[in-house]
């Protein structure tokens, strides 16, 4: 096969030669370097590479070029090579423009000129970008195909599960020619299959699954669903940032660790289109990227990750802590970390529950974004998740309407997001506004809004909700003490005495993550009064592992 290509475009001949020289010095054994001195020349090179079937790994473009600046160039390059990594070369004075480009063209990195020495300022950046490109699935169409109905809640659930678990697939409508042909080939004789027979999933091996359950789908796409043993040092329940952090630290420190996740790694953070305030990632990264890196890191250290397993009970049996599953199975461990996170709170507007998965979506901006092209969509919420969703959808939708119950965004949304939203012409913020009703035939078609000027009806087919937080803790019953909202109580927040022994060895620790059950800890959003941030959840996951070690030493 021909070597993949690194394309560099800079209108300064000296800089252009310098970039190409440094790139060839490091990467010529595995990559071909193509350089251009104008944006037009660069686009011509990309079109020729595309026609020849060559693969492009990275496109580096200078910001200040005549006729077409670097951001505009990268935006056009995306149409030809959507999987190529995009790097903007910029002077210090243009860093603001580079930061804006992160959202305009989903920029992967911006690099300041000059970059001497390249061993410190150029190669580490490009090594990371090439590693990310090599791990990207670049097939034109996913080998897994999903045939379903546009407004089917079950079809949406399957697509969301695959997307959040980063399983590539191709989406086909059952009433479109290609979808109908695949249904016929799969043995579905009805031209319009009933809802209970959709979606139909066809795997790369040609296996057909009709309206599969989540565990069936997980097993079919190769996700691990069965534990390797029945006893561990540590069971982590929940695969959000707190759970993934606990799994990484637990496994890396020699504990036999298993993480159990009901849906997909990443939790709420995994659904974020871009996280820009996480330490160590100045260019930002998507929630899916963060979750994938953490998942691979946990696997590297030997942790097991079980997906599509629903935990239904926690029981203390002597020194063992036994976890029960919905299918009747169980595993046990010396210790447990509860990191089940939270779910978005449901809106109570009449009619809305009937459209969940068929126009109303809690989270899911990444799964449904491409379906919003040219339409007017509505987002409810005033915190960072809602803001990130609005920014992301603005790349697809004609207009994004952000509905905020309060009088401003300042009290709940980060400043950098507020500034981004204010600079987007197709995003409108409606303060003091709530949804009072939802209407439609078979799917969402209209919303009734109540705002400062009274009630009004608006036409829309998609609503994304990012409000409040409800913890996944009902399954704990009376075993673990919780507050009146369901959040797990730990340390000094526990009621006097609880059912913890008076000589419980960790009760005098300065930082408490232990619950009323010895050997059971809580980390992240599920813990009462925790700081609802990705970084704090990861930190609590790590701290919980430190307390697990102390418990095991003293128990």
């Amino acid at each position: 096969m021909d070597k993949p290509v690194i394309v560099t475009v800079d209108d300064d001949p000296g800089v252009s030669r310098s970039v190409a020289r440094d790139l060839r010095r490091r990467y010529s054994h595995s990559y071909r370097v193509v350089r251009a001195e104008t944006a037009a020349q660069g686009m011509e090179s990309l079109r020729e590479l595309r026609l020849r079937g060559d693969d492009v790994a990275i496109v580096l473009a200078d910001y200040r070029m005549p006729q077409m600046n670097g951001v505009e160039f990268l935006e056009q390059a995306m149409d030809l090579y959507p999987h190529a990594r995009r790097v903007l070369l910029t002077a210090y004075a243009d860093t603001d423009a580079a930061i804006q480009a992160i959202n305009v063209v989903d920029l992967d990195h911006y690099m300041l000129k000059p970059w001497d020495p390249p061993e410190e300022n150029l190669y580490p950046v490009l090594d990371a970008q090439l590693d990310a490109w090599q791990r990207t699935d670049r097939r034109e169409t996913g080998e897994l195909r999903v045939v379903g109905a546009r407004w089917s809640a079950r079809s949406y659930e399957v697509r969301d599960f695959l997307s959040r678990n980063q399983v590539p697939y191709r989406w086909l409508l059952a009433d479109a020619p290609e979808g109908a042909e695949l249904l016929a080939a799969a043995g579905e004789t009805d031209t319009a299959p009933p809802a209970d027979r959709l979606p139909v999933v066809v795997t790369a091996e040609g296996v057909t699954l009709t309206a599969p359950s989540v565990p069936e789908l997980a097993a079919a796409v190769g996700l691990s669903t069965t534990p390797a043993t029945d006893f561990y040092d540590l069971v982590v329940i929940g695969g959000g940032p707190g759970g993934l952090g606990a799994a990484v630290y637990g496994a890396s420190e020699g504990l036999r660790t298993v993480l159990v996740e009901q849906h997909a790694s990443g939790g709420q953070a995994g659904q974020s289109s871009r996280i820009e305030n996480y330490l160590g990632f100045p260019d930002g990264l998507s929630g899916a990227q963060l979750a994938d890196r953490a998942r691979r890191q946990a696997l590297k250290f030997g942790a097991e990750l079980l997906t599509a397993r629903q935990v239904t009970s926690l029981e203390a049996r002597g020194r063992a802590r036994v976890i029960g599953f919905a299918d009747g199975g169980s595993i046990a461990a010396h210790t447990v970390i509860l990191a089940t996170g939270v779910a978005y709170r449901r809106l109570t507007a009449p009619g809305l529950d009937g459209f969940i998965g068929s126009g109303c979506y809690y989270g899911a901006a990444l799964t449904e974004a491409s379906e919003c092209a040219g339409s007017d969509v509505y987002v409810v919420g005033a915190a960072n998740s809602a803001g990130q969703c609005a920014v992301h959808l603005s790349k697809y939708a004609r207009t994004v309407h952000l509905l905020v119950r309060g009088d401003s965004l300042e009290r709940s949304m980060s400043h950098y997001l507020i500034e981004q939203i204010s600079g987007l012409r197709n995003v409108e913020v409606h303060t003091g506004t709530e949804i009072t009703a939802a209407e439609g035939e078979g799917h969402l078609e209209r919303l009734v809004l109540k705002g400062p000027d009274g009630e009004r009806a608006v036409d829309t087919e998609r609503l994304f909700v990012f409000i409040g937080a409800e913890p996944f803790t009902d399954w704990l019953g009376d075993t673990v003490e919780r507050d009146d909202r369901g959040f797990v109580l730990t340390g000094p927040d526990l009621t006097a005495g609880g059912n913890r022994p008076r000589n419980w060895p960790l009760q005098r620790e300065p930082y408490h993550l232990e619950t009323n059950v010895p050997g059971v800890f809580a980390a992240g959003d599920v813990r009462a009064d925790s700081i609802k941030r990705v970084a704090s959840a990861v930190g609590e996951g790590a701290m919980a592992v430190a307390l697990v070690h102390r418990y095991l030493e003293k128990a």
Side-chain angles (χ1 to χ4, degrees):
M1 292 181 62
D2 291 337
K3 294 178 182 179
V5 180
I6 299 175
V7 175
T8 173
V9 185
D10 197 304
D11 67 311
D12 184 321
V15 174
S16 179
R17 288 191 295 270
S18 177
V19 175
R21 180 197 65 228
D22 287 343
L23 292 175
R24 292 187 178 113
R25 183 182 301 164
R26 174 81 166 197
Y27 302 109
S28 60
H29 62 289
S30 300
Y31 296 89
R32 185 157 55 96
V33 177
V34 172
R35 76 179 182 92
E37 294 183 3
T38 68
Q41 189 182 91
M43 288 306 304
E44 183 180 353
S45 296
L46 286 172
R47 292 189 188 100
E48 290 178 358
L49 291 168
R50 181 69 175 172
L51 287 172
R52 290 203 301 262
D54 291 325
D55 215 348
V56 172
I58 296 180
V59 180
L60 300 94
D62 181 51
Y63 176 68
R64 291 194 177 187
M65 294 189 294
Q67 287 81 48
M68 183 189 300
N69 67 36
V71 175
E72 295 166 339
F73 177 84
L74 291 174
E75 193 169 14
Q76 291 193 22
M78 287 174 64
D79 295 333
L80 295 172
Y81 285 99
H83 300 298
R85 309 298 288 183
R86 295 172 287 278
V87 178
L88 191 68
L89 302 175
T90 180
Y92 182 80
D94 298 321
T95 52
D96 286 346
I99 292 171
Q100 291 298 319
I102 290 172
N103 295 304
V104 174
V105 295
D106 199 19
L107 189 69
D108 294 300
H109 200 89
Y110 68 87
M111 185 181 304
L112 296 179
K113 299 187 296 182
W115 52 82
D116 289 332
E119 289 77 14
E120 294 181 11
N121 299 322
L122 177 66
Y123 298 147
V125 170
L126 296 188
D127 286 348
Q129 296 302 323
L130 289 170
D131 177 66
W133 177 80
Q134 289 165 355
R135 288 187 286 102
T136 300
D137 191 300
R138 301 184 298 278
R139 289 169 290 190
E140 289 297 316
T141 59
E143 293 182 331
L144 188 80
R145 288 163 290 178
V146 180
V147 185
R150 184 185 302 275
W151 300 115
S152 162
R154 183 61 190 137
S155 295
Y156 155 71
E157 289 171 4
V158 166
R159 293 170 57 216
D160 188 54
F161 178 83
L162 294 172
S163 297
R164 291 184 60 190
N165 282 286
Q166 301 185 54
V167 178
Y169 68 93
R170 189 176 179 196
W171 166 240
L172 301 170
L173 292 173
D175 57 2
E178 192 173 359
E181 290 174 6
L182 186 58
L183 287 176
E188 184 62 65
T189 57
D190 293 339
T191 56
D196 62 355
R197 294 191 61 78
L198 290 177
V200 171
V201 178
V202 182
T203 69
E205 295 76 24
V207 176
T208 299
L209 305 173
T210 300
S213 66
V214 168
E216 289 172 339
L217 187 60
V221 299
L223 296 174
S224 179
T225 60
T226 305
T229 185
D230 57 4
F231 199 91
Y232 296 85
D233 293 320
L234 171 63
V235 173
V236 181
I237 304 175
L244 287 168
V248 167
Y249 281 93
S252 68
E253 294 174 13
L255 298 176
R256 291 171 299 168
T257 302
V258 59
L259 182 149
V260 183
E261 168 56 46
Q262 182 176 347
H263 196 73
S265 298
Q268 277 192 347
Q271 296 176 278
S272 176
S273 56
R274 182 163 293 274
I275 302 170
E276 297 187 59
N277 58 353
Y278 191 69
L279 183 67
F281 294 90
D283 304 322
L285 76 169
S286 71
Q289 290 172 326
L290 180 62
D292 178 60
R293 294 183 184 192
R295 180 187 60 80
R296 289 188 292 109
Q297 195 173 16
L299 291 172
K300 180 185 78 171
F301 288 123
E304 288 182 46
L305 271 63
L306 305 183
T307 306
R309 295 301 297 269
Q310 182 180 359
V311 177
T312 56
S313 64
L314 169 61
E315 183 181 354
R317 297 180 189 171
R319 290 191 174 184
R321 304 293 173 260
V322 181
I323 301 300
F325 296 121
D327 61 5
S330 65
I331 55 175
H334 292 300
T335 58
V336 173
I337 294 177
L338 303 174
T340 50
V342 295
Y344 292 113
R345 185 162 48 82
R346 294 293 177 92
L347 283 175
T348 58
L352 203 55
D353 281 352
F355 300 126
I356 295 176
S358 57
C360 175
Y361 307 98
Y362 288 85
L366 297 179
T367 304
E368 290 294 311
S370 61
E371 301 292 323
C372 299
S375 61
D376 299 319
V377 301
Y378 285 75
V379 179
V380 180
N384 282 5
S385 295
Q388 289 161 349
C389 173
V391 171
H392 183 65
L393 292 178
S394 69
K395 304 172 189 176
Y396 303 87
R398 178 173 58 190
T399 309
V400 180
H401 299 270
L402 182 59
L403 307 181
V404 179
R405 186 173 60 178
D407 57 4
S408 71
L409 294 172
E410 277 71 14
R411 282 184 288 181
S412 53
M413 189 177 292
S414 294
H415 180 68
Y416 78 91
L417 269 175
I418 296 174
E419 286 195 324
Q420 285 182 20
I421 289 171
S422 66
L424 295 171
R425 294 182 178 179
N426 64 334
V427 176
E428 299 180 13
V429 179
H430 306 271
T431 57
T433 302
E434 298 181 70
I435 297 174
T436 58
E439 303 168 351
E441 294 294 331
H443 65 89
L444 178 65
E445 294 177 312
R446 286 173 302 280
L447 293 172
V448 179
L449 308 181
K450 182 179 180 181
D453 299 323
E455 284 196 343
R456 60 190 176 97
V458 295
D459 293 331
T460 185
E461 292 183 331
R462 282 181 172 80
L463 169 70
F464 299 88
V465 183
F466 298 84
I467 59 169
E470 294 181 342
F472 293 115
T473 57
D474 288 345
W475 60 274
L476 288 169
D478 297 328
T479 303
V480 174
E481 196 170 330
R482 295 172 289 153
D483 66 13
D484 56 2
R485 295 185 298 162
F487 290 91
V488 175
L489 294 171
T490 59
D493 292 330
L494 291 165
T495 56
N499 58 14
R500 238 178 2 172
R502 288 187 179 225
N503 61 349
W504 176 234
L506 299 182
Q507 65 182 2
R508 290 184 297 276
E509 291 295 335
Y511 191 79
H512 298 272
L513 296 176
E514 72 271 26
T515 71
N516 61 301
V517 181
V520 177
F521 305 83
D525 290 359
V526 74
R527 191 176 65 83
D529 296 326
S530 64
I531 298 172
K532 304 300 188 278
R533 286 287 186 270
V534 174
S536 60
V538 173
E540 288 192 4
M543 178 64 75
V545 171
L547 297 180
V548 163
H549 280 294
R550 298 187 189 184
Y551 168 80
L552 292 174
E553 291 170 359
K554 298 177 181 180

